[in-house]
Amino acid sequence: MAVDINRVYQKVLALANKEQRGYITPQEFNLFSDKAQYEIFNNYFHKIKVTERKLKAQEDYADELEMIEEKLHSFHVDETVTTATASLTLPNSTHKIINITRKGNEVTQVNKHQIAYTENNPLLKANLTRSVFVREDSSTVTIYPSPSPSTYDTSTDTTNDSPDVTFEAEAFEVSYYKRPTPPSWGYIVVNGKPLHDANNTTNFELHESEEENLVDKILLLAGITMKQPDLQTVAAGNMQLNKQEQNS
């Protein structure tokens, strides 16, 4: 279950206004929320690297790596992407590639320095059962060996009623973690005050266990903006305490 942005908004306002520290506008809150969510999401991948070095807990529900993977589960996407050339365009929401498969075989990632060597070595040269890809930029990879009419397996004819269907591209299965959708606390203005509008609201996509972490991160950002050191101190202290409890 995702985190209800209105709950977070009400908590942030209550804590920020506790001692007349200042008011956080909905626009500011939405900007802080987007940044806080992305920081928490991106930190999962750093935590995985550290956690993999630790001993695994006997029970899955208490294992740190299992908990991180559970939080990432809702961002895991499997999508079929087709191309007629070596250039494969990744889905727009791709944040991190998990794997790419080609006709049931995993396509291995190599860097640009390696590909120049392997493609000139008859024993290491990529083939259809041992394909590789090079990440060109955030949205494109290059497939080796390149798709060709001999490997095409998809057609623009979605009905496939004709026995003479011409295959025009090759399909690849791309598994990836998508970027979280920016959250937005929707509102309408009544008598000069913003009131929550659930119909125009986008909740956080993070696991519900991240609610308090989101509150603290947003308060920290708000404290910096409003130049309220005490608010920053409270938020930072809560985050540190939470981290210590998780690592104890």
Side-chain angles (χ1 to χ4, degrees):
M1 182 181 293
V3 179
D4 185 341
I5 194 171
N6 190 46
R7 282 174 53 86
V8 174
Y9 181 72
Q10 299 303 330
K11 287 184 178 182
V12 167
L13 284 190
L15 292 168
N17 291 328
K18 185 177 180 181
E19 296 177 3
Q20 302 298 314
R21 294 187 178 101
Y23 176 68
I24 303 171
T25 68
Q27 294 90 340
E28 290 173 331
F29 173 80
N30 286 335
L31 288 174
F32 299 154
S33 295
D34 187 24
K35 179 173 174 57
Q37 176 174 251
Y38 186 78
E39 285 183 356
I40 293 172
F41 169 75
N42 204 41
N43 196 41
Y44 290 152
F45 301 101
H46 298 290
K47 285 183 177 179
I48 287 175
K49 290 190 296 184
V50 175
T51 304
E52 285 178 336
R53 305 190 189 107
K54 299 179 181 179
L55 292 175
K56 181 178 175 64
Q58 292 183 343
E59 301 294 340
D60 285 345
Y61 68 82
D63 184 72
E64 190 173 353
L65 186 57
E66 291 287 342
M67 288 189 282
I68 296 173
E69 290 178 346
E70 180 182 349
K71 292 177 179 180
L72 281 169
H73 180 71
S74 62
F75 299 98
H76 185 153
V77 179
D78 295 319
E79 187 170 336
T80 299
V81 181
T82 62
T83 182
T85 67
S87 181
L88 182 70
T89 301
L90 300 172
N92 291 333
S93 60
T94 302
H95 176 77
K96 185 176 180 62
I97 296 174
I98 299 173
N99 60 49
I100 298 176
T101 57
R102 182 182 204 176
K103 294 179 171 58
N105 298 310
E106 183 169 351
V107 184
T108 304
Q109 181 172 2
V110 298
N111 60 44
K112 291 185 177 182
H113 299 293
Q114 291 174 306
I115 197 66
Y117 171 71
T118 58
E119 285 301 288
N120 288 308
N121 187 316
L123 296 177
L124 299 177
K125 187 178 178 66
N127 56 50
L128 291 180
T129 58
R130 195 180 69 251
S131 301
V132 300
F133 74 89
V134 173
R135 189 76 180 261
E136 301 295 345
D137 52 39
S138 61
S139 62
T140 310
V141 301
T142 299
I143 302 291
Y144 296 84
S146 172
S148 65
S150 64
T151 66
Y152 292 169
D153 53 11
T154 61
S155 169
T156 53
D157 178 8
T158 58
T159 62
N160 287 330
D161 292 333
S162 171
D164 300 321
V165 172
T166 300
F167 295 109
E168 301 170 338
E170 184 177 351
F172 292 82
E173 185 76 13
V174 181
S175 296
Y176 63 95
Y177 288 115
K178 73 179 186 70
R179 289 187 295 273
T181 302
S184 176
W185 186 79
Y187 65 96
I188 56 176
V189 178
V190 178
N191 295 327
K193 294 183 179 180
L195 297 180
H196 183 226
D197 180 6
N199 294 324
N200 291 309
T201 287
T202 303
N203 287 318
F204 294 102
E205 290 191 296
L206 298 177
H207 191 275
E208 58 185 352
S209 64
E210 298 289 8
E211 182 173 318
E212 297 307 315
N213 197 9
L214 282 166
V215 171
D216 291 331
K217 279 188 172 292
I218 293 169
L219 281 174
L220 182 62
L221 293 169
I224 295 172
T225 301
M226 295 188 297
K227 298 180 180 180
Q228 293 289 341
D230 59 330
L231 189 58
Q232 297 175 51
T233 301
V234 170
N238 289 340
M239 292 168 62
Q240 184 62 32
L241 179 62
N242 185 46
K243 186 175 182 180
Q244 290 176 351
E245 290 175 346
Q246 291 179 354
N247 293 332
S248 62

